[in-house]
């Protein structure tokens, strides 16, 4: 089969790595991809949001399936345009992707389908939103409605600060994405991410992970797209997963189908494990990055049939996917200055050596200079992933590989997996 994979980050490198191992794969074309993916497929320099360019490429190569990595392509309507040409697509339609692209839509959807989540209000003017603060208790959770590159959520300690955030968001800090704000009840608990695949009517669980959003050790510093992950997430007891599937995942897939916007692709549920069971923090319409990297390393089953079945509506014919019992962790190496102003162009040595069967280094923001040397070309640059019998062993292997990478222009957190490790020690 001929696959077209869309995207250029570590998430897509991991998907490419797994798809390349499938006996179904005759050809893998990646747009635009990155240097790490070059040995796995043909790279074509078309951006993930260039919908017409991607549709033309899918037709040219006669793709049997288009696999969409980033949400920006979904929001741009890639799945909808491919559907007009009957090209199967793993990825949600623009309307179904509202589960990620509009927080107001998702909160109202949760109301309609009794999906447990934080209490909320949606506001279009600063006066209304400021007034509404009195019905919430601090800390205040203030969110821009639309996609804001992971920066659209602020937790404010007091009403004064919350008021400033409301003014900034409704005043245009995020452009159209901030035309409405959502204020939410603050939920206490431990956060983790659960993944499910769906073909529009059925769903199947696809693993869980926990990540580290802050830039520096000890969960300090600014929020990032994610500095590291591990899977499985020990917070996910079988009871919690069962409850999340029954109360959140299944009602969402059924609700989207009933509303005429069936959800196809991967549903990424950010959950809070609370005293009252799992509650939804947010949905994403794509794999997490770097959650995907650890899931792909743990996935024992062939990925391709699952992605195809989601696109074709016949997930029911496949057995549940199998995962290795190992723990996998991913440590993100970022360019110094990330997330605010990452420095580009520094040279990376030693990242492309063979680290053995338990370690994979996925590329995110990398490039090659004229001499063919690997350089940094983004914020998050390398994803060093390792498997082990437990978190301790997986960590030792990942950090062992990192020590062999010579990159003075980069930094990473040295405590990925600390929460899981603490649990192991107190268990
Ligand atoms: P989101 O982009 O909606 O996932 O929000 C970003 C982060 O803000 C989440 O990962 C949580 O850590 C935190 N957060 C969002 N909503 C809430 C809430 N209602 N209660 C507590 N924390 C929240
Ligand atoms: N790592 C978080 C995300 O992909 O949204």
């Amino acid at each position: 089969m001929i696959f077209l994979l869309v995207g250029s980050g570590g998430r897509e490198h991991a998907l490419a790595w797994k798809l390349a191992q499938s006996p179904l794969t005759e050809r893998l074309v990646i747009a635009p991809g990155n240097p790490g993916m070059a040995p796995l497929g043909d790279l074509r320099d078309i951006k993930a949001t260039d919908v017409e360019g991607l549709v033309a490429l899918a037709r040219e190569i006669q793709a049997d399936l288009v696999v969409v990595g980033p949400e920006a392509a979904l929001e741009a309507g890639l799945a909808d345009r491919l559907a007009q040409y009957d090209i199967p697509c793993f990825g949600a339609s623009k309307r179904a992707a509202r589960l990620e692209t509009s927080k107001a839509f998702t909160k109202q959807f949760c109301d309609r389908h009794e999906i447990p989540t934080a209490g909320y209000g949606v506001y279009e003017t600063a006066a209304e939103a400021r007034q509404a603060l009195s019905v919430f208790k601090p800390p205040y959770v203030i969110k821009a409605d639309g996609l804001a590159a992971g920066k659209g959520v602020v937790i404010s300690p007091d009403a004064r600060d919350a008021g400033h955030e409301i003014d900034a968001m409704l005043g245009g800090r995020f452009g159209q994405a901030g035309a409405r704000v959502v204020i939410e009840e603050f939920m206490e608990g431990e956060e983790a991410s659960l993944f499910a695949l769906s073909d529009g009517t059925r769903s199947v669980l696809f693993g869980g992970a926990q990540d580290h959003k802050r830039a520096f050790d000890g969960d300090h510093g600014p929020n990032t797209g994610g500095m590291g992950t591990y899977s499985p997430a020990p917070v996910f007891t079988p009871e919690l997963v069962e409850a999340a599937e029954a109360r959140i995942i299944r009602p969402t897939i059924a609700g989207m189908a009933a509303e005429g916007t069936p959800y196809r692709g991967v549903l990424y549920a950010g959950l809070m494990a609370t005293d009252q069971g799992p509650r939804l923090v947010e949905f994403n319409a794509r794999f997490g990055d770097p959650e995907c990297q650890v899931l792909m390393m743990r996935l024992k089953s062939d990925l391709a049939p699952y992605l195809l079945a989601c696109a074709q509506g016949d997930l029911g014919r496949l057995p549940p996917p199998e995962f290795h019992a190992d723990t996998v962790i991913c440590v993100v190496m970022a360019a110094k200055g990330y997330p605010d102003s990452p420095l580009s162009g520094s040279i990376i040595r030693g990242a492309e050596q063979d680290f053995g069967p338990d370690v994979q280094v996925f590329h995110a923001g990398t490039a090659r200079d004229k001499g063919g040397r690997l350089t940094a070309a983004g914020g998050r640059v390398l994803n060093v992933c390792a498997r082990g019998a437990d978190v301790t062993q997986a960590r030792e292997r990942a950090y062992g590989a990192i020590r062999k990478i010579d990159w003075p222009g980069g930094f990473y957190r040295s405590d990925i997996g600390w929460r899981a490790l603490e649990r192991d020690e107190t268990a």
Side-chain angles (χ1 to χ4, degrees):
M1 289 191 143
I2 300 169
F3 295 106
L4 170 59
L5 172 65
V6 176
S8 62
R11 166 180 52 207
E12 288 78 20
H13 188 179
L15 290 169
W17 172 78
K18 190 67 189 169
L19 277 177
Q21 293 169 39
S22 171
L24 293 178
T25 305
E26 286 161 45
R27 184 173 180 206
L28 178 60
V29 179
I30 308 164
N34 68 39
M37 296 188 235
L40 301 171
D42 306 335
L43 305 191
R44 297 288 288 265
D45 194 15
I46 300 173
K47 283 202 181 70
T49 48
D50 179 358
V51 171
E52 296 314 314
L54 291 168
V55 170
L57 175 61
R59 296 182 72 197
E60 176 203 318
I61 63 168
Q62 300 188 316
D64 294 297
L65 180 71
V66 178
V67 178
V68 184
E71 67 279 13
L74 302 173
E75 193 183 39
L78 179 56
D80 308 77
R81 282 290 284 150
L82 290 166
Q84 290 170 355
Y85 290 97
D86 286 326
I87 302 171
C89 174
F90 176 81
S93 68
K94 187 178 165 81
R95 283 171 66 77
R98 281 180 301 170
L99 286 179
E100 169 160 9
T101 60
S102 171
K103 293 189 188 289
F105 168 81
T106 301
K107 297 303 284 190
Q108 289 157 355
F109 176 87
C110 287
D111 275 354
R112 291 195 291 277
H113 300 282
E114 295 179 21
I115 293 165
T117 184
Y120 74 101
V122 181
Y123 310 95
E124 288 179 14
T125 68
E128 278 175 331
R130 279 173 167 273
Q131 201 175 11
L133 287 175
S134 61
V135 297
F136 293 92
K137 285 193 252 122
Y140 300 99
V141 182
I142 320 278
K143 302 186 175 184
D145 176 44
L147 289 181
K151 295 189 177 135
V153 177
V154 203
I155 314 246
S156 282
D158 55 57
R160 211 180 112 89
D161 187 66
H164 290 312
E165 294 296 344
I166 287 168
D167 291 347
M169 281 187 198
L170 288 168
R173 186 201 281 163
F174 302 117
Q176 216 23 52
R180 295 192 286 178
V181 298
V182 178
I183 304 181
E184 284 185 18
E185 163 206 355
F186 181 82
M187 296 186 287
E188 298 270 3
E190 190 171 335
E191 241 181 301
S193 307
L194 186 64
F195 295 85
L197 300 181
S198 175
D199 65 0
T201 51
R202 276 160 294 233
S203 59
V204 54
L205 293 180
F206 206 64
Q210 268 180 303
D211 74 345
H212 299 262
K213 288 218 166 81
R214 301 294 199 97
F216 309 128
D217 281 11
D219 289 336
H220 294 298
N223 261 318
T224 72
M227 292 300 290
T229 40
Y230 49 95
S231 176
V235 64
F236 280 136
T237 58
E239 297 73 38
L240 193 80
V241 172
E242 202 175 299
E245 185 175 31
R247 292 186 219 148
I248 297 175
I249 305 289
R250 289 213 182 112
T252 298
I253 300 305
M256 291 299 280
E259 293 189 5
T261 50
Y263 189 90
R264 291 187 194 92
V266 55
L267 183 65
Y268 161 172
L271 303 178
M272 194 71 83
T274 73
D275 298 345
Q276 302 131 47
R279 296 175 80 195
L280 180 72
V281 179
E282 61 156 357
F283 279 131
N284 293 303
R286 53 176 172 84
F287 280 112
D289 185 348
E291 287 82 350
C292 185
Q293 290 82 318
V294 292
L295 292 182
M296 289 306 119
M297 276 188 71
R298 282 194 58 223
L299 182 63
K300 196 169 170 184
S301 307
D302 183 4
L303 176 66
Y306 289 92
L307 302 187
L308 268 169
C310 288
Q312 292 171 337
D314 55 4
L315 203 46
R317 74 184 161 78
L318 296 176
E322 286 185 69
F323 288 86
H324 293 288
D326 304 338
T327 292
V328 176
I329 88 160
C330 170
V331 181
V332 171
M333 297 183 79
K336 281 184 182 159
Y338 176 74
D340 298 326
S341 44
L343 289 174
S344 218
S346 55
I347 291 167
I348 306 163
R349 293 187 181 84
E352 294 175 291
Q353 61 184 289
D354 182 2
F355 291 99
D358 298 315
V359 174
Q360 287 298 327
V361 177
F362 296 118
H363 290 213
T366 62
R368 286 204 196 280
D369 68 8
K370 287 202 186 87
R373 292 178 303 185
L374 198 67
T375 62
R380 295 185 293 173
V381 174
L382 295 172
N383 306 144
V384 181
C385 302
R387 72 173 97 250
D390 54 21
V391 190
T392 306
Q393 191 179 45
R395 270 171 73 128
E396 277 167 14
R397 287 178 177 160
Y399 287 109
I402 284 179
R403 281 191 291 276
K404 295 185 196 159
I405 297 175
D406 175 17
W407 180 29
F411 76 98
Y412 55 89
R413 278 183 60 161
S414 63
D415 62 350
I416 300 304
W418 68 264
R419 211 187 278 277
L421 208 60
E422 232 165 51
R423 268 177 192 263
D424 279 1
E425 279 159 10
T426 52

